[in-house]
Structure formats: C-alpha cells, structure tokens
Amino acid sequence: MNARKAFIRRRPFGSLALLVLLIIAGLMWNWRVQLQVFPSIISAYTAKEYCSCRFVMNNPAHYCQSYVKQWLPSTINEDALNKRITARGWGRESAAQWEGPRQGCRLSPPVP
C-alpha cells in the first residue's frame, strides 16, 4: 500500500496522465459501436446533401461542392444523366439518388 502512495507522490503528473488514459479507454470501449459507424456518416452526409443541393435546389456544382465541404476529405462523383451522386470519405462509399420533385434525394447502395 505504501508503494502505491509513494508512486503517486513521486509522479503526480504521470499518475494523472495514466488516470486520464484509463478514462479515455473506458469511454472508447463504451462508445465502440458509434465510433465504428462514424466513417460511414461522412460519406453518407456528403452524398445526400450534395444530391439535395444539386437536384432538389438546382444549384450549380461549384456552389454545392463548397456547401458540403468538410474538414474531413471526401470525393464526389456526379452522374448528372441518372441524377446520382457517389461520395467517398474515410474509406467508405455512399450514394444518393434523386427520386423526384416531391421525394427529393434518398441514400441508396453504391453501384459496383
């Protein structure tokens, strides 16, 4: 018991850093499902919002690219003929398809 107290007294910042790391590890374990899904959210958001900007609101491409720009990089491919947007970010790919003037855009599985 005295050895533990002596360690904390000798290294207070190291003990605090170890405690913070343990708390962060516990939070990451608790939120592991949400953290695994996060990369998919980036590409899905980009595809859906860009599709809505282009085909529902009829804005020009350069405006929509700046509208959906994020701090995290993503690539956008536009198929204007079929009104389909494919976005790739953080290794995940999502697609959005224009359904019609009343339905707007909808996320759909990417075409291989």
Side-chain angles (χ1 to χ4, degrees):
M1 185 75 172
N2 289 335
R4 204 177 324 170
K5 286 182 181 178
F7 177 78
I8 293 173
R9 281 190 200 141
R10 280 185 281 145
R11 294 182 175 82
F13 295 114
S15 301
L16 182 62
L18 183 62
L19 179 64
V20 168
L21 285 175
L22 286 173
I23 290 171
I24 289 173
L27 288 173
M28 287 178 68
W29 177 256
N30 191 34
W31 295 334
R32 66 190 179 277
V33 173
Q34 291 87 346
L35 290 171
Q36 288 173 346
V37 174
F38 179 73
S40 298
I41 294 171
I42 299 299
S43 61
Y45 167 83
T46 304
K48 175 80 168 55
E49 290 300 314
Y50 186 88
C51 181
S52 296
C53 181
R54 279 292 279 146
F55 304 125
V56 176
M57 302 304 293
N58 293 317
N59 290 316
H62 64 86
Y63 173 80
C64 293
Q65 286 175 350
S66 65
Y67 177 73
V68 299
K69 185 175 181 166
Q70 302 176 34
W71 291 102
L72 302 171
S74 58
T75 321
I76 301 170
N77 294 322
E78 179 180 334
D79 180 5
L81 184 63
N82 297 320
K83 295 190 176 184
R84 183 177 179 82
I85 303 298
T86 306
R88 186 170 183 82
W90 273 25
R92 307 284 172 93
E93 188 173 283
S94 296
Q97 177 79 40
W98 186 68
E99 298 289 320
R102 294 184 60 96
Q103 296 87 7
C105 290
R106 180 181 206 156
L107 284 173
S108 58
V111 176

